[in-house]
Amino acid sequence: MDFRAREIAEILGGTIDGNPEVKVSAFARIESGKPGTICFFANPKYEHYVYECKADIIIVNNTFEPQKPVTATMIRVENAYASIAALLDYVTAKKRSYRRYRGCRSRYFFSTKFGKKVYVGNFAYVGRRTTVGDYTKIYENVYIGDDVKIGSHCILYPGVRIYPGMEIGDNVIIHSNAVIGADGFGFAPLEDGSYKKIEHTGNVIIEDDVEIGANTTVDKSQMGSTIIHKGVKIDNLCQIAHNVEIGENTVMAAQTGVAGSTKIGKHCIIGGQVGIAGHLTVADNTSFGAQTGLISNVRTEGQSLFGSPAMPVKDYLRSYAVFKQQGKK
């Protein structure tokens, strides 16, 4: 994409505060906006980013009254969340209209680059402009989309699905039927009670030495990247939502779900069936007992949490003693 503020305002039916000729070429989250990008502000808890953000354009609600100077050009609209969804939809549709596919798709294209001694099993598909590093094994019935980057010494077991544009480092193991890069669960509520799908234009970045279990899903970001950092180990049947970031050497047991835009620190231990709400931050070296439910930030490192809502283990055990007594009455 390559749009000026006045063009975006025309598409969205908004008004401009600032330079109408400023140009952007990519979307970004407001907490990571940089020059040349467009962000949106709809959640009051993110207001401080409006003043700190380096993005050139920010979409805001008509009712927003800045409390400090804003360096970005603001485009005012009736509903910033619905408007960014409409803009993402517009850009995605425009990209699709330019695509041209062959009538018969082979599993290899001249633009696909394979390293030394790469194994590709029967009925595997590797897309255009994709690169695969040395000694990587792609087993039967694996799908790898266009513009994917896969490092060396990786193993993709049968049935793995990797959507276009994803990035995978070295020594990564992905087990059967895992899905990397599906759309995040993002929908804008409309006045008639229905929901409009928000197009997800980002990707997933999986760093070196990561292992992902069977039937686990890692959703691509709405903007920017969902990031699984080096050394992370994720069990089977886990759900990692859009824009999540998981710190180095964190381990996660089966059936855990992490909601969108949450950042989990380094060296965390997450038990089975843990549920972590969205837009949270979890400090390094945090441990979660099985079936813990987290609904607030964890700011202190090294805690062990249990229960739902999550609390320190000692507090939970004292509370549980009271629960048991109540149950006997």
Side-chain angles (χ1 to χ4, degrees):
M1 64 172 273
D2 195 0
F3 292 102
R4 298 183 188 277
R6 57 179 170 77
E7 296 172 319
I8 296 171
E10 185 177 344
I11 293 168
L12 300 179
T15 59
I16 298 173
D17 285 0
N19 180 9
E21 297 302 318
V22 67
K23 186 186 294 186
V24 294
S25 58
F27 293 96
R29 294 176 293 166
I30 194 167
E31 59 266 42
S32 56
K34 57 185 180 181
T37 63
I38 180 172
C39 303
F40 79 100
F41 165 63
N43 189 332
K45 68 183 284 188
Y46 288 93
E47 182 174 346
H48 64 283
Y49 288 118
V50 174
Y51 314 117
E52 302 166 4
C53 186
K54 304 299 182 183
D56 286 321
I57 299 175
I58 301 177
I59 297 174
V60 301
N61 291 330
N62 285 326
T63 55
F64 174 59
E65 295 294 338
Q67 302 303 307
K68 298 179 183 179
V70 178
T71 58
T73 292
M74 293 189 294
I75 298 178
R76 293 183 175 275
V77 294
E78 185 174 342
N79 184 322
Y81 194 57
S83 291
I84 197 70
L87 186 59
L88 286 165
D89 196 35
Y90 177 86
V91 172
T92 301
K94 195 169 183 180
K95 286 181 179 178
R96 286 172 180 158
S97 68
Y98 290 132
R99 292 178 182 171
R100 296 291 183 268
Y101 292 121
R102 304 178 184 184
C104 180
R105 302 288 300 275
S106 162
R107 70 178 182 181
Y108 301 118
F109 292 90
F110 293 116
S111 59
T112 303
K113 297 180 180 179
F114 293 94
K116 297 184 295 184
K117 297 187 177 180
V118 171
Y119 170 80
V120 181
N122 291 331
F123 307 109
Y125 175 93
V126 183
R128 295 176 296 183
R129 300 178 300 277
T130 287
T131 60
V132 181
D134 299 342
Y135 303 103
T136 285
K137 295 180 180 179
I138 301 169
Y139 281 95
E140 289 69 23
N141 295 302
V142 169
Y143 168 83
I144 300 171
D146 298 342
D147 302 299
V148 173
K149 297 178 182 178
I150 299 174
S152 301
H153 299 277
C154 295
I155 302 174
L156 308 181
Y157 282 102
V160 167
R161 301 291 186 264
I162 300 176
Y163 281 54
M166 306 302 114
E167 299 181 19
I168 297 172
D170 298 332
N171 303 305
V172 172
I173 300 172
I174 305 178
H175 288 275
S176 291
N177 299 315
V179 178
I180 310 299
D183 283 355
F185 191 71
F187 299 89
L190 302 179
E191 291 183 359
D192 64 0
S194 64
Y195 290 87
K196 178 175 177 56
K197 178 180 175 62
I198 298 175
E199 293 291 345
H200 286 62
T201 61
N203 71 344
V204 174
I205 297 175
I206 298 175
E207 295 184 350
D208 299 345
D209 305 313
V210 170
E211 184 161 352
I212 295 176
N215 294 296
T216 283
T217 58
V218 183
D219 291 343
K220 67 181 177 182
S221 58
Q222 188 180 106
M223 306 169 196
S225 300
T226 301
I227 304 175
I228 312 297
H229 284 290
K230 184 175 181 180
V232 169
K233 314 298 180 188
I234 301 175
D235 199 359
N236 304 328
L237 294 163
C238 292
Q239 159 65 13
I240 311 300
H242 62 274
N243 292 106
V244 165
E245 184 173 348
I246 301 179
E248 292 182 9
N249 299 309
T250 284
V251 294
M252 180 183 297
Q255 297 184 9
T256 288
V258 184
S261 299
T262 284
K263 294 183 179 181
I264 297 175
K266 302 176 183 178
H267 304 285
C268 294
I269 299 173
I270 303 173
Q273 294 187 330
V274 169
I276 300 177
H279 300 273
L280 300 181
T281 299
V282 177
D284 297 346
N285 298 296
T286 301
S287 297
F288 295 85
Q291 296 188 329
T292 295
L294 184 69
I295 58 173
S296 59
N297 293 319
V298 180
R299 303 188 187 281
T300 304
E301 294 186 14
Q303 291 191 87
S304 295
L305 305 177
F306 196 58
S308 184
M311 62 186 76
V313 169
K314 289 183 179 179
D315 292 344
Y316 175 82
L317 293 175
R318 285 195 290 266
S319 300
Y320 184 67
V322 176
F323 301 157
K324 287 181 68 176
Q325 292 301 319
Q326 293 294 320
K328 293 178 181 179
K329 293 182 180 180

